[in-house]
Amino acid sequence: MSLARASLLLRQKHAVGSVSLIQRRFASHDSHAHDEHHHSREAGFSTPFWRNTVLLSLLAVGFYKWAPSPNQDVYLTRWLAQYTTPSEIWAAINEKHLSLSQQASHNTILQADAKRPNVHRYRYPQILDTGSPHLQPVGRVADTSSTAVRSG
């Protein structure tokens, strides 16, 4: 393919792309320019709002008329009762939660009121090392002759 033919094809593609871009710009700006076409909604009782209101009210009246009374044992009531947790179990769970909450509260109060023990700060802490067996001079042995061993 010759160079002239390739450049011609590229120009055509570029021209087609720019035209569609220009057309898109005109189309998008054109819709904002005209404010003459205002459509008013129809008024009256034939709108979807009133239709839905009438249908929902008829549905509510029908449900009220044919729904079972609260004292009837219906399949749906038995099915729901099968999957609900009995109140005794909830009472046990709540009691356990209460005791754990009280214990956590007691622990929190205990930690908040705790004080560190008083520490006596020595002015010269090296004085504690004077009685250390590691500071005895060589050859000095403690006299253990008067020591008696206790048996059991």
Side-chain angles (χ1 to χ4, degrees):
M1 185 159 75
S2 70
L3 229 44
R5 182 170 167 84
S7 65
L8 180 66
L9 287 174
L10 283 175
R11 279 191 217 139
Q12 286 176 351
K13 282 185 183 179
H14 182 59
V16 169
S18 64
V19 169
S20 64
L21 182 62
I22 291 171
Q23 288 174 349
R24 269 190 245 132
R25 285 185 188 157
F26 287 152
S28 65
H29 285 87
D30 196 28
S31 65
H32 296 291
H34 300 291
D35 290 336
E36 300 166 3
H37 303 290
H38 290 290
H39 298 288
S40 63
R41 294 186 150 221
E42 58 183 87
F45 292 107
S46 61
T47 59
F49 170 76
W50 289 109
R51 179 199 60 205
N52 293 340
T53 304
V54 169
L55 288 176
L56 285 175
S57 61
L58 288 174
L59 183 68
V61 167
F63 179 76
Y64 183 75
K65 183 175 181 179
W66 287 294
S69 63
N71 58 3
Q72 289 179 345
D73 189 24
V74 186
Y75 175 74
L76 180 64
T77 307
R78 283 182 278 143
W79 183 72
L80 289 174
Q82 181 182 358
Y83 291 106
T84 56
T85 307
S87 61
E88 296 85 20
I89 293 176
W90 281 115
I93 290 171
N94 289 338
E95 209 171 298
K96 183 179 178 183
H97 182 265
L98 177 64
S99 66
L100 290 175
S101 296
Q102 286 175 340
Q103 182 64 34
S105 173
H106 176 70
N107 290 343
T108 303
I109 291 171
L110 182 67
Q111 287 180 355
D113 289 344
K115 294 180 182 175
R116 296 186 70 139
N118 292 335
V119 177
H120 182 72
R121 304 280 181 203
Y122 290 105
R123 185 170 192 173
Y124 302 109
Q126 60 269 28
I127 201 165
L128 296 173
D129 293 336
T130 58
S132 172
H134 300 291
L135 292 177
Q136 302 300 325
V138 176
R140 186 175 223 190
V141 179
D143 184 21
T144 59
S145 60
S146 64
T147 310
V149 179
R150 291 186 190 176
S151 61

